[in-house]
Amino acid sequence: MTHKPIAVVLLSGGLDSATSAAIAIDQGYEVIALSLEYGQRHQRELEAAKTIAEALNITQHYIIDVNIAQWGGSSLTDSSLSLPQGGVDPNEIPSTYVPGRNTVFIGLALSLGEAKGATAIYLGINAVDYSGYPDCRPEYLQAYQNLANLSSKAGIEGKAPQLVAPLISKTKVDIVKDAIRLGVPISKTWSCYQGEQEPCGLCDSCRIRDRALIEAGYPQLATTQGRAFL
């Protein structure tokens, strides 16, 4: 009996991470999902992560508490700060950047991956249609891969999990098309930064998502409010 290779997927509950998980499955991996409760205002995304894992038949799904919100520094974790609703400014890093978030998350995924014998860590990061976060760039990913190779027993043995970011150079429209092709239940994913039960349609994440859905030919999946701002 041939066993599938294992991949850990960081599953936030958003469109990108869900599509990344679907790609890993399509490429023949047995997927273990890892979701983080980090004190985010939009914890609704964790409910979405559970739904997506079930929809994609991912049977191992870890949700762990890593409350980096305790020291603030981001409008995603500090309710006293206003979430930006004026659109993405390519010349500045927005207040929604969470200090060290991806560095912490990938470290945890590598720990889980090494414990489970994973050969890959799949990430939904994107360097094209993103909000300017420094930890979503190819050079960041390469530097982290070097660290993974040096910092673990698996790495010393030449078997460190490979950090795979299948969406890193894709546009959001391309990601939507991949999601449709792979059967990702887009309507069940959650991208909004607000912590409400319905997406606001105004935050940067809603705007980027809605624009892509409309341009890809799926306006029915965009939020009603979001359409007016594209």
Side-chain angles (χ1 to χ4, degrees), residues 53-65:
E54 292 174 2
L56 296 179
N57 296 313
I58 298 172
T59 58
Q60 292 190 67
H61 183 198
Y62 293 88
I63 301 175
I64 62 174
D65 187 352

Side-chain angles (χ1 to χ4, degrees), residues 108-183:
L108 291 168
L110 284 168
S111 174
L112 175 58
E114 186 172 17
K116 296 293 187 179
T119 58
I121 309 295
Y122 271 66
L123 315 167
I125 62 176
N126 177 259
V128 180
D129 286 336
Y130 76 126
S131 296
Y133 299 151
D135 51 5
C136 289
R137 298 172 298 157
E139 53 266 45
Y140 167 84
L141 193 64
Q142 183 56 59
Y144 215 131
Q145 183 67 66
N146 293 338
L147 175 62
N149 295 342
L150 293 170
S151 62
S152 64
K153 178 177 180 290
I156 294 299
E157 294 172 348
K159 297 181 290 186
Q162 295 300 298
L163 301 181
V164 182
L167 312 179
I168 198 163
S169 62
K170 295 192 175 188
T171 68
K172 201 72 166 183
V173 172
D174 289 336
I175 293 170
V176 168
K177 291 178 179 178
D178 281 345
I180 294 293
R181 175 177 60 84
L182 295 170

Side-chain angles (χ1 to χ4, degrees), residues 24-105:
I25 293 168
D26 186 60
Q27 292 178 346
Y29 285 95
E30 175 186 344
V31 166
I32 299 173
L34 175 62
S35 302
L36 290 303
E37 184 170 358
Y38 61 94
Q40 63 269 50
R41 293 166 63 165
H42 54 308
Q43 291 200 7
R44 172 69 176 75
E45 70 175 5
L46 292 175
E47 297 174 25
K50 295 176 186 177
T51 300
I52 296 303
E54 292 174 2
L56 296 179
N57 296 313
I58 298 172
T59 58
Q60 292 190 67
H61 183 198
Y62 293 88
I63 301 175
I64 62 174
D65 187 352
V66 187
N67 191 6
I68 57 176
Q70 296 178 73
W71 40 82
S74 169
S75 59
L76 282 192
T77 60
D78 187 344
S79 59
S80 70
L81 301 176
S82 298
L83 287 166
Q85 295 186 341
V88 177
D89 183 345
N91 297 313
E92 67 177 36
I93 298 172
S95 68
T96 51
Y97 165 70
V98 181
R101 180 176 61 178
N102 281 352
T103 301
V104 172
F105 287 8

